[in-house]
Amino acid sequence: MAARSYGQYCGVTTAVELIGERWALLIVRDLLVGPRRYTDLKQGLPRIPTNILSTRLKELQEGGVVRRVPLHNCGLVYELTDYGRALEPVVLALGRWGFQTMGDPGEGDIVTPDSLTMALRTAFQADAAADAEYEVHVGDVALRASVRDGTLSVTRVGGAQRRDEGSEAEADAVIVAGPGIRRLISGELTPAEALEQDVLAVVRGDVSVLDDFARTFHIAPLTVQGVSS
């Protein structure tokens, strides 16, 4: 199935042949959030050429990673197979690894609902998580992160709602942030410092909830020489 063969008999080689082509892993990332129509995937990956998206989806289907199925009221959608969903810990680990050297966003870099959802799942610390409802706004993306009994659930908040009003069911805190929220998640800034430096704002709810948020969503810097977050 692979578009490119490396000519080696190795599990890593097989994995790279399946998901190592450009854009393939980001398609998997978005499908880990949930089934998506072709147009949803294109919207979530706005820089992907249409022909490349079609090719990658075909390759992923042939490799048993993705399948196309009917979904009620949505028509045909793409979803991960069980084999594809087994990539979740790999994708989360890659996210934690890449977080170490993300730096500031480049010109034109965007945050999408699916990328922010996976970022929260990547940073989630179940052992330290306190039960809470957070509404997180980064740019035009608004998500509800619900933590219960060490389990995280992330859903989208309707785009028509105002940031300062939050969603229909009241959250413990509504947090409005920019890309600098990365510095809170890494521990580079304390919640108090993040507020003081206008990295983020709590527009509704008790600001003390931000301490729980910082413990719940945290990626510690790697202790590897030459690597810093």
Side-chain angles (χ1 to χ4, degrees):
M1 153 275 160
R4 175 185 298 135
S5 172
Y6 293 97
Q8 295 187 14
Y9 187 62
C10 165
V12 173
T13 301
T14 300
V16 171
E17 289 175 350
L18 284 169
I19 59 168
E21 292 291 331
R22 185 168 171 81
W23 295 103
L25 201 54
L26 292 184
I27 294 171
V28 171
R29 179 202 66 184
D30 286 2
L31 291 179
L32 281 168
V33 179
R36 295 288 181 267
R37 295 172 300 178
Y38 181 93
T39 52
D40 298 328
L41 289 167
K42 184 68 178 74
Q43 185 176 8
L45 301 168
R47 292 191 182 183
I48 189 172
T50 302
N51 64 317
I52 296 299
L53 176 57
S54 298
T55 298
R56 293 294 170 265
L57 286 169
K58 180 181 178 181
E59 291 169 352
L60 290 168
Q61 287 179 86
E62 291 174 350
V65 178
V66 168
R67 63 189 169 202
R68 199 177 184 202
V69 297
L71 187 65
H72 182 61
N73 292 331
C74 287
L76 289 173
V77 298
Y78 293 92
E79 69 174 12
L80 294 173
T81 63
D82 290 343
Y83 184 51
R85 282 192 292 271
L87 282 165
E88 180 167 3
V90 177
V91 173
L92 295 180
L94 274 174
R96 285 187 287 271
W97 183 76
F99 179 85
Q100 308 295 328
T101 52
M102 277 178 61
D104 295 325
E107 184 178 354
D109 285 353
I110 64 170
V111 174
T112 68
D114 288 343
S115 69
L116 184 57
T117 296
M118 291 303 290
L120 291 173
R121 286 165 63 174
T122 296
F124 182 62
Q125 301 292 325
D127 293 342
D131 286 1
E133 296 278 340
Y134 306 101
E135 192 167 302
V136 182
H137 296 250
V138 177
D140 294 329
V141 177
L143 300 178
R144 170 65 69 94
S146 176
V147 181
R148 288 289 177 269
D149 300 324
T151 300
L152 172 66
S153 173
V154 182
T155 56
R156 294 180 66 171
V157 174
Q161 293 165 323
R162 288 164 49 98
R163 285 180 173 184
D164 55 352
E165 290 175 345
S167 56
E168 219 171 280
E170 189 166 324
D172 295 302
V174 178
I175 301 167
V176 177
I181 194 173
R182 173 184 61 85
R183 299 170 66 197
L184 176 67
I185 291 172
S186 70
E188 179 184 344
L189 295 179
T190 66
E193 290 169 339
L195 289 168
E196 182 181 351
Q197 297 181 28
D198 292 327
V199 167
L200 51 78
V202 178
V203 299
R204 196 183 68 202
D206 190 336
V207 295
S208 66
V209 175
L210 203 55
D211 291 320
D212 289 334
F213 180 88
R215 285 190 293 269
T216 299
F217 299 99
H218 178 65
I219 300 177
L222 287 173
T223 55
V224 178
Q225 186 175 0
V227 176
S228 59
S229 59

